[in-house]
Amino acid sequence: MRDDAGGLDSAMMRRALALAARGWGQTAPNPLVGAVVVRAGEIVGEGWHARWGGPHAEVVALAAAGERARGATVFVTLEPCAHHGKTPPCADALVAAGVHRVVVAVRDPSADAGGGAERLRAAGIEVKVGVEEEAARELNAPFFHATRSERPWVTLKLAVSIDGAIADHTRRPAWITGEPARREVHRLRAGNDAVAVGAGTVRTDDPLLTVRDAEPPRVAPARVVFAAARLIDPASRLAASAREIPTLVVGPVVSGERAEALRARGVELVEAVSLADGLAALRSRGILSLLVEGGARLAGALWQASLVDRLIIFQAPVVLGAGALNAFAYLPGTEVGRAPRLRVLDRRELGDDLVTHYAVSPTPEVR
């Protein structure tokens, strides 16, 4: 019986993708990768890349399968690497294990790591590429995006009321969503290289922007504020903890008394004349993924400049009414017929709240 009979290829690759996601927050700058070893329609081994510098998913899955890997099919979410990095080539490990067939979700675009499929075919192993490819590209969107862009992959997160507000008429800090949604935000932070806000959020909320209610990431995300340095209080919690966690203020003015006070506290000031320039500066510092948490001015500016790739809306079952601050209050009006309709990637309940993931830009292609 062929391994792909009855849609087994897709089912096993979905399992591999679910395993890959377990490495969330631990593998960067490497991608999330999962692998499943199947023999005679039965899973005999599985694994995922659990931490940067550790064994790759294929090696873990082969070790779990042992001798049962010989003659088996291996499903892996990313093309097995063909180079010596922190670990030996996974393609060589598959050849040595005597597997019969390798099913790959998506090619590895890296110049150094790619080429594993060709090495496997040269060893007489059957290779199939492209099973659940879009899901695999979406899982590692920042990784694939980085091969073709000079800015980070940008996710805009907004917590809103039923009527689309992010703050009530008083503008005082207050939670809109419940605890399950807030824990999910911390999980999202753990999987991004940096978390960003605008000056208004720093002034109003005085946030820490750290990961607290989720598994700690291998590397704490940097904190970014898009603002002129003169707008940031050196006594803010972000500035006070800048020597512990990288903190960057990105804006057009990086001089003056406040700027020097921020530098003295360990804040890095990055001069940028536009959001696009600021994002490019972050990318040059190794930031591949950026989670933007507001506020309304920054959200509107990024949206208007077409610098948002994914939108995540946490909607709470409350109505804030007149005077509340709409999440997109700083965007120019658009006629209904001209407004682009966003593709829904995922929608689920978190306690009483509803979280929806929208695709704003296409899932990155692989060159």
Side-chain angles (χ1 to χ4, degrees), residues 287-313:
I287 293 174
L288 305 187
S289 57
L290 181 69
L291 178 67
V292 178
E293 297 194 12
R297 288 185 184 274
L298 178 57
L302 287 166
W303 193 275
Q304 195 165 2
S306 299
L307 294 173
V308 176
D309 298 298
R310 292 292 177 268
L311 173 65
I312 304 178
I313 296 290

Side-chain angles (χ1 to χ4, degrees), residues 168-191:
D168 64 23
H169 69 285
T170 71
R171 301 299 190 267
R172 288 194 293 266
W175 295 113
I176 291 179
T177 55
E179 288 188 8
R182 298 201 292 272
R183 285 196 297 269
E184 174 63 9
V185 171
H186 281 261
R187 190 192 71 83
L188 290 172
R189 288 178 182 178

Side-chain angles (χ1 to χ4, degrees), residues 25-49:
Q26 307 302 321
T27 68
N30 288 353
L32 299 165
V33 183
V36 175
V37 183
V38 176
R39 185 169 180 174
E42 177 188 357
I43 294 177
V44 296
E46 56 185 25
W48 63 94
H49 185 35

Side-chain angles (χ1 to χ4, degrees), residues 24-29 51-52 189-195 211 215-222 244-246 286:
W24 182 263
Q26 307 302 321
T27 68
R51 193 172 179 84
W52 181 84
R189 288 178 182 178
N192 280 269
D193 294 331
V195 181
V211 178
E215 181 182 355
R218 185 182 69 86
V219 178
E244 302 166 20
I245 303 173

Side-chain angles (χ1 to χ4, degrees), residues 121-211:
R121 289 187 176 113
I125 296 172
E126 180 185 344
V127 179
K128 180 180 180 180
V129 179
V131 175
E132 298 293 327
E133 179 178 341
E134 185 171 0
R137 287 190 282 116
E138 185 66 35
L139 178 68
N140 284 305
F143 172 74
F144 294 116
H145 181 260
T147 66
R148 57 192 305 144
S149 177
E150 295 181 352
R151 67 165 177 84
W153 179 257
V154 176
T155 300
L156 174 62
K157 184 278 300 180
L158 296 168
V160 305
S161 61
I162 290 174
D163 49 342
I166 61 171
D168 64 23
H169 69 285
T170 71
R171 301 299 190 267
R172 288 194 293 266
W175 295 113
I176 291 179
T177 55
E179 288 188 8
R182 298 201 292 272
R183 285 196 297 269
E184 174 63 9
V185 171
H186 281 261
R187 190 192 71 83
L188 290 172
R189 288 178 182 178
N192 280 269
D193 294 331
V195 181
V197 293
T201 299
V202 176
R203 183 172 55 252
T204 302
D205 297 345
D206 193 19
L208 273 174
L209 303 181
T210 54
V211 178

